[in-house]
Amino acid sequence: MKHHKRDYTTEFKRLISHYLFEPYFCNVRRPNEKGIVEGSVKYARLNFMVPVPQVKDYDELNRLLRERCESDLDRILWGKCSLSKKQLLAEDRIAAIALPDDKFDYRKTTSTLARSVSLARYDTNDYSVTVRWAQHSVTVKASGR
């Protein structure tokens, strides 16, 4: 399959570097490229949510769905050498790399200068800093929350 060159943002490059993965993008308006995911969602909906489970709260729904998913691990997938989903998952876990111990810092980080009036500019806004940081370089970590 032909892949188009993508321009990654700095933040996305940091994410790739932290978790050590190779990005794989589907083309725009090409639902056929997402078939495995779409098929898995359809399978889960039809087998776990039809008919609609009658539960009293989300905790009970979560327990029910977990039980159904766990029992589905014994299912043998078509064309997978008579291996159950549980066996395939075990193989994947062995082949997978471990996640890093440190959490990924998702915030955008930049340096700026706090002016003499104790204001530091980030993006188009000025933010107050304590007087001791006036006329010093400061690091801003910003999130969209």
Side-chain angles (χ1 to χ4, degrees):
M1 178 179 288
K2 182 180 170 186
H3 296 285
H4 300 287
K5 176 150 173 33
R6 304 284 180 160
D7 292 327
Y8 303 152
T9 63
T10 302
E11 289 77 20
F12 191 61
K13 287 179 190 175
R14 288 180 47 238
L15 184 73
I16 293 168
S17 176
H18 185 81
Y19 287 112
L20 303 175
F21 68 93
E22 181 72 30
Y24 179 86
F25 298 98
C26 295
N27 290 311
V28 177
R29 292 185 290 279
R30 296 283 183 202
N32 58 306
E33 294 180 8
K34 299 182 270 290
I36 292 173
V37 172
E38 299 289 338
S40 296
V41 169
K42 181 179 180 182
Y43 175 85
R45 182 175 51 82
L46 292 175
N47 288 278
F48 303 153
M49 301 297 284
V50 175
V52 176
Q54 300 301 308
V55 294
K56 63 180 179 190
D57 56 23
Y58 283 118
D59 289 334
E60 186 179 349
L61 177 62
N62 286 333
R63 277 192 300 278
L64 177 69
L65 291 175
R66 183 180 188 95
E67 289 169 8
R68 291 180 180 180
C69 287
E70 286 173 351
S71 69
D72 190 58
L73 286 174
D74 295 325
R75 183 168 58 97
I76 295 175
L77 299 176
W78 182 81
K80 295 293 180 184
C81 306
S82 301
L83 296 175
S84 69
K85 289 174 71 176
K86 188 181 293 183
Q87 292 167 312
L88 293 169
L89 179 60
E91 286 181 5
D92 280 353
R93 285 182 172 152
I94 291 168
I97 62 171
L99 291 176
D101 291 332
D102 56 326
K103 285 179 76 173
F104 177 70
D105 186 359
Y106 61 89
R107 298 171 296 182
K108 187 173 183 179
T109 303
T110 189
S111 293
T112 189
L113 183 68
R115 299 191 306 269
S116 61
V117 290
S118 298
L119 293 175
R121 179 162 289 237
Y122 173 73
D123 203 8
T124 58
N125 300 311
D126 288 324
Y127 296 93
S128 298
V129 297
T130 58
V131 174
R132 72 182 184 104
W133 289 106
Q135 297 183 328
H136 286 85
S137 180
V138 294
T139 300
V140 177
K141 291 189 176 189
S143 66
R145 294 182 186 191

